[in-house]
Amino acid sequence: MGLKEILAKEKEEVKERLSLVMERIAQIGGVPEEKETERGKYFAKMAEFILATFEVLQKEEAGRLNERSLEECKCMNARLYSDIAPKNYQTSYGNPAYAVKVLGEEYGAMLSMLYAELRALIAYAFEGRWLNYTILCELFIQIYACFEDEEGTSPKEVRDIIYWFFHDYSEIFSEQSVQELVDPESNFFTEIVMESDLTDFTYLYRYGEPIGENELKLAEYFGTLSEKEIQKMADTYTEGYRIGFLTTGKDISLKSTVSIDFPIGMERMVRAAIQNFEKMRLKPTIYRDAVSSFKGRGGRKRGCYSTSINKQFDYDHKSDKALYLDKAFVERRLETLRTAYEHFKELAKRHGGPAVIEVFGEEPFTPVNQPEALHYDEKQNQLNVYYASMSGQITNQYIPGEERSFTIIAYPLPSIGAQFPQIFEKTVELNTLDYQLYQDMQQKMIDVLDTGKEVHITGAGANETDLTVALYPLQNPAKETAFENCVADVNIPVGEVFTSPVLKGTNGVLHVSQVYLNELKYIDLKITFQDGWITDYTCKNFESEEENRKYIYENVLMFHDTLPMGEFAIGTNTTAYRMARDFDMADKLPILIAEKTGPHFAVGDTCYSHEEETATYNPDGKEIVARDNEVSILRKEDMSKAYLNCHTDITIPYDELDAITVIREDGTAADIIRGGKFVVPGTEPLNEPLGA
């Protein structure tokens, strides 16, 4: 049964239930305002919001969402999203601090969490997901009834209702999540991209996402590009994906789907890319960026997404799962995930992996830590780590890592400033640099690096980096290498050589004055390694050391007590560095580009996670043998100990770098970089963009 048939069947099964629940919701808020309690005002506000989304659902059912004028679209979008916009956030129930202030400590955080969860109704309405819409409305009524009860309620009762909602409906949520990833018939987004009149910007409002200046101006800018320019961008993107299979010796002909992640507004390029993929006999799958805490709302943007309307709201609700996360729920979720993959196992086996388009250029964001927001306790932190490990294993079982690939590319947003057209044009140029030139220069570096037993990295000026990285010992240097010569295929743009370090002997301090990791800003980030593992960490974002450590623990260590160094790389894209300098936008570069603008160090899994058994070769024919480290090799004994399911790159920019020196077994040394400049003979062209 196709998705449209499934949705039609679900609609008939729940239509009567929804009719009853909507009657009840329409009655809420009938109390005169002067007699309303604060909780009464909260439920009236929520009922008003739900009724607004119900109008969307009715329009979707009648096929009238495509008939709206641009002005109608903008008005509806504002009605649905304005309450969490920064200008209104201080008095929004979506703000946990405000919710606790007016609703009390017992219930404020829980009701703020419910507020955030109810916003998923927008997506369900636009997609015509009647079942999801109905059960979420029923959750609202069930909680409302607790407070309406004359005998009163308790925090435990409210928490239990939310807990059992997610526990009982895990099967539905897991199955939908897997289907959206691997089933091309789950084509809500594909139809918008392929069938809309892209000159009529009302199509932007068909997704059910917040549409702001970035999305409108991006679509407008893409409308000015020629078909040739659009096709060139699409070709760079899809060829990177195809070549990724080719260079790793994987058979792309065995795959039938590719998951496309893209920002709303770039549909002309995405349409051309889909047509390119179809020539490779790959159909697109496109899912929505997470709207429910079940899928991890508030994290990194993936799937089909728009820019955030309020990053503080996202940050405040990133741990909403804390309200219902326990061991039983995690086991239930893993069980339903495995069941879902088993149901779609044939489609999963033929899934090729993601093709990702990222964006950059938003105003840098430094979050405020609000104590009123929900936070995970230590036991829940460990459960998050456990779930990430186990779910990763399940996914890898049905979509084997050694058989899939990916590609990722980034473009600027209009919010980057008045020079957006020039920056965009420069980024296109950056994404299509002469890979052969870089390949040759990078090979010269690798030839030197392969002579060493370790590499010593030191910072310049106020940068306190003093770090020694141990290298994988080569048994046959004539046929083996420890470093991958990375040009522009899966990881666009061109420009790095990287390896999986040996943990034992990797010691010292990594320091960077300012860096953005997963869209969060870190000031004076300092991490200490001993035998490859993090032993200490700090930054200067907050006044208290406790807050600084917690910030890193949650967002870099991803709730692990420690992480190993999974990658050491030397970025060679000095053109990208110069672009950032010329346009004064180093603080806005995505890690995809920033990692190419200096040496970088990833904490977490290696770059060869789940692909260690796949022989990989550099263009010179040498096999890259540093695919394992002391952690990943544990997969041969216990898979649960081998993978951390995270990988975060931390880059030292060239202007904070003094030297990268190769130390050989006999004690002799050779510089790769000295005084912030490349010194290996034949790599001098890389220094040209580093000049004044």
Side-chain angles (χ1 to χ4, degrees):
M1 187 184 295
L3 181 64
K4 286 185 171 61
E5 290 79 9
I6 292 173
L7 293 179
K9 184 173 183 291
E10 289 178 352
K11 173 182 168 183
E12 291 307 311
E13 290 174 350
V14 302
K15 201 166 186 180
E16 187 174 342
R17 281 166 55 188
L18 182 58
S19 177
L20 292 172
V21 79
M22 290 311 300
E23 285 181 18
R24 188 75 183 90
I25 289 171
Q27 295 169 2
I28 298 174
V31 179
E33 187 173 342
E34 64 272 11
K35 294 185 178 181
E36 278 190 336
T37 63
E38 285 296 340
R39 290 176 192 166
K41 292 177 182 178
Y42 167 85
F43 283 107
K45 180 81 171 179
M46 294 299 92
E48 179 187 347
F49 168 76
I50 293 171
L51 291 171
T53 66
F54 189 57
E55 287 181 28
V56 175
L57 184 64
Q58 291 174 312
K59 281 183 168 63
E60 194 282 331
E61 182 186 25
R64 290 190 283 117
L65 285 177
N66 291 333
E67 298 173 0
R68 297 172 296 161
S69 68
L70 187 59
E71 191 58 36
E72 287 175 316
C73 288
K74 289 181 177 180
C75 286
M76 179 178 284
N77 203 253
R79 184 182 178 191
L80 295 173
Y81 287 102
S82 62
D83 191 57
I84 61 170
K87 65 178 181 180
N88 301 320
Y89 195 55
Q90 293 307 308
T91 55
S92 167
Y93 294 116
N95 182 344
Y98 177 75
V100 167
K101 177 183 176 182
V102 298
L103 300 172
E105 290 187 10
E106 283 190 315
Y107 298 105
M110 284 192 281
L111 292 178
S112 186
M113 179 272 183
L114 178 62
Y115 173 103
E117 197 65 37
L118 287 171
R119 301 198 67 78
L121 290 172
I122 301 172
Y124 300 154
F126 273 91
E127 291 186 46
R129 289 191 175 271
W130 284 64
L131 174 60
N132 296 64
Y133 190 93
T134 300
I135 61 177
L136 192 49
C137 288
E138 289 174 339
L139 172 67
F140 171 74
I141 286 298
Q142 194 175 0
I143 292 175
Y144 173 72
C146 288
F147 290 95
E148 193 182 33
D149 189 344
E150 292 182 1
E151 296 183 5
T153 185
S154 69
K156 183 180 183 304
E157 184 179 0
V158 176
R159 185 184 295 268
D160 284 349
I161 290 171
I162 294 173
Y163 176 88
W164 288 110
F165 172 82
F166 286 102
H167 184 281
D168 292 347
Y169 289 120
S170 284
E171 186 172 2
I172 291 172
F173 300 146
S174 291
E175 182 163 313
Q176 289 174 349
S177 180
V178 173
Q179 183 174 19
E180 290 168 352
L181 176 65
V182 302
D183 186 0
E185 289 195 22
S186 184
N187 60 358
F188 173 78
F189 300 99
T190 304
E191 285 188 349
I192 294 175
V193 173
M194 300 307 291
E195 298 177 11
S196 298
D197 176 0
L198 301 183
T199 65
D200 177 1
F201 292 163
T202 59
Y203 84 86
L204 295 168
Y205 297 88
R206 185 65 185 86
Y207 293 105
E209 290 288 311
I211 303 301
E213 288 297 302
N214 271 321
E215 289 71 36
L216 285 163
K217 289 182 177 179
L218 200 58
E220 182 180 325
Y221 178 76
F222 268 72
T224 68
L225 300 178
S226 68
E227 288 297 331
K228 184 177 180 181
E229 289 171 312
I230 292 291
Q231 193 61 52
K232 179 181 179 182
M233 292 167 60
D235 290 347
T236 301
Y237 170 58
T238 59
E239 272 299 282
Y241 190 80
R242 186 188 68 81
I243 294 170
F245 277 89
L246 187 66
T247 57
T248 54
K250 300 169 185 174
D251 189 351
I252 196 172
S253 70
L254 299 177
K255 303 301 178 181
S256 61
T257 55
V258 51
S259 176
I260 295 177
D261 295 13
F262 74 97
I264 294 172
M266 290 186 63
E267 286 76 12
R268 281 192 69 198
M269 174 187 163
V270 176
R271 179 182 287 182
I274 288 174
Q275 292 167 343
N276 282 358
F277 282 129
E278 286 175 344
K279 292 173 185 175
M280 302 178 203
R281 298 185 179 179
L282 295 173
K283 293 182 179 180
T285 63
I286 305 172
Y287 58 85
R288 185 187 296 275
D289 187 46
V291 293
S292 168
S293 59
F294 184 89
K295 287 185 67 176
R297 175 188 357 93
R300 195 174 185 180
K301 294 283 188 180
R302 280 293 178 258
C304 175
Y305 61 91
S306 63
T307 50
S308 176
I309 193 168
N310 185 346
K311 290 188 176 183
Q312 185 62 48
F313 171 80
D314 297 341
Y315 190 81
D316 286 340
H317 290 280
K318 68 184 179 64
S319 301
D320 276 357
K321 204 185 285 111
L323 199 60
Y324 56 89
L325 183 68
D326 67 4
K327 187 69 159 63
F329 170 76
V330 168
E331 294 297 348
R332 166 69 172 160
R333 190 174 176 191
L334 290 170
E335 173 193 348
T336 60
L337 181 65
R338 185 179 295 279
T339 300
Y341 268 116
E342 186 65 26
H343 182 72
F344 293 106
K345 63 182 178 182
E346 292 304 319
L347 287 170
K349 187 177 182 180
R350 298 197 299 273
H351 184 65
V356 180
I357 304 172
E358 289 188 337
V359 289
F360 62 94
E362 292 183 272
E363 194 62 34
F365 171 65
T366 302
V368 175
N369 273 335
Q370 304 212 93
E372 299 87 350
L374 290 168
H375 295 90
Y376 297 119
D377 61 29
E378 188 56 39
K379 189 174 181 180
Q380 290 176 320
N381 288 335
Q382 297 308 312
L383 284 172
N384 276 317
V385 171
Y386 171 72
Y387 176 78
S389 174
M390 298 305 294
S391 62
Q393 290 180 49
I394 292 170
T395 299
N396 197 65
Q397 178 184 343
Y398 290 91
I399 311 175
E402 64 270 15
E403 297 176 8
R404 66 177 184 259
S405 189
F406 72 96
T407 197
I408 183 167
I409 196 169
Y411 292 98
L413 288 166
S415 58
I416 205 162
Q419 292 180 294
F420 163 70
Q422 294 92 331
I423 296 171
F424 196 98
E425 186 177 327
K426 191 68 178 177
T427 304
V428 172
E429 177 187 327
L430 191 68
N431 289 336
T432 54
L433 288 171
D434 183 355
Y435 78 89
Q436 187 64 57
L437 176 64
Y438 278 81
Q439 180 177 295
D440 293 344
M441 289 189 289
Q442 289 173 180
Q443 187 57 56
K444 289 178 171 62
M445 286 183 224
I446 291 173
D447 290 342
V448 178
L449 288 162
D450 277 344
T451 68
K453 69 168 185 175
E454 60 191 27
V455 177
H456 187 207
I457 304 98
T458 53
N463 187 290
E464 299 175 35
T465 297
D466 189 346
L467 185 59
T468 297
V469 176
L471 301 180
Y472 190 96
L474 304 180
Q475 303 302 315
N476 186 353
K479 295 184 178 180
E480 296 176 348
T481 179
F483 283 80
E484 179 161 334
N485 190 338
C486 182
V487 286
D489 41 57
V490 300
N491 202 322
I492 304 168
V494 70
E496 65 174 307
V497 299
F498 65 84
T499 189
S500 301
V502 173
L503 299 183
K504 186 174 178 58
T506 293
N507 300 301
V509 174
L510 167 63
H511 173 234
V512 61
S513 63
Q514 179 175 288
V515 67
Y516 289 82
L517 309 174
N518 298 325
E519 300 184 6
L520 297 177
K521 181 180 181 179
Y522 297 81
I523 301 168
D524 271 327
L525 177 65
K526 190 183 295 185
I527 298 176
T528 303
F529 293 90
Q530 183 173 336
D531 282 332
W533 290 88
I534 295 174
T535 57
D536 197 12
Y537 49 88
T538 187
C539 64
K540 294 181 180 176
N541 286 57
F542 307 101
E543 290 185 4
S544 77
E545 180 64 6
E546 181 182 356
E547 281 189 287
N548 288 324
R549 289 180 63 84
K550 183 179 179 182
Y551 184 52
I552 298 169
Y553 172 71
E554 291 183 355
N555 301 297
V556 178
L557 271 70
M558 305 299 182
F559 305 106
H560 294 83
D561 292 332
T562 182
L563 286 175
M565 184 186 293
E567 175 192 2
F568 162 58
I570 302 174
T572 63
N573 201 322
T574 51
T575 298
Y577 174 84
R578 184 59 188 242
M579 178 182 79
R581 180 175 163 182
D582 288 348
F583 290 104
D584 191 24
M585 61 177 199
D587 60 342
K588 295 180 180 179
L589 284 184
I591 191 62
L592 177 67
I593 298 177
E595 68 176 4
K596 314 292 174 56
T597 63
H600 64 266
F601 310 81
V603 293
D605 292 327
T606 75
C607 290
Y608 300 96
S609 178
H610 295 289
E611 298 183 47
E612 296 89 352
E613 303 299 335
T614 303
T616 306
Y617 299 86
N618 271 339
D620 65 353
K622 290 184 180 181
E623 182 180 358
I624 303 157
V625 291
R627 301 194 297 269
D628 262 315
N629 65 9
E630 294 95 317
V631 179
S632 63
I633 198 68
L634 296 176
R635 71 189 184 282
K636 297 185 177 181
E637 303 169 10
D638 184 347
M639 187 74 76
S640 66
K641 296 179 180 178
Y643 301 109
L644 292 310
N645 294 284
C646 59
H647 180 98
T648 302
D649 293 302
I650 304 168
T651 304
I652 303 174
Y654 296 118
D655 57 5
E656 293 189 30
L657 179 68
D658 177 28
I660 298 178
T661 303
V662 178
I663 311 296
R664 303 187 180 99
E665 193 71 46
D666 63 5
T668 60
D671 289 330
I672 301 294
I673 289 177
R674 173 61 63 181
K677 299 292 178 67
F678 289 89
V679 295
V680 175
T683 64
E684 294 84 0
L686 295 175
N687 294 324
E688 293 174 11
L690 297 176

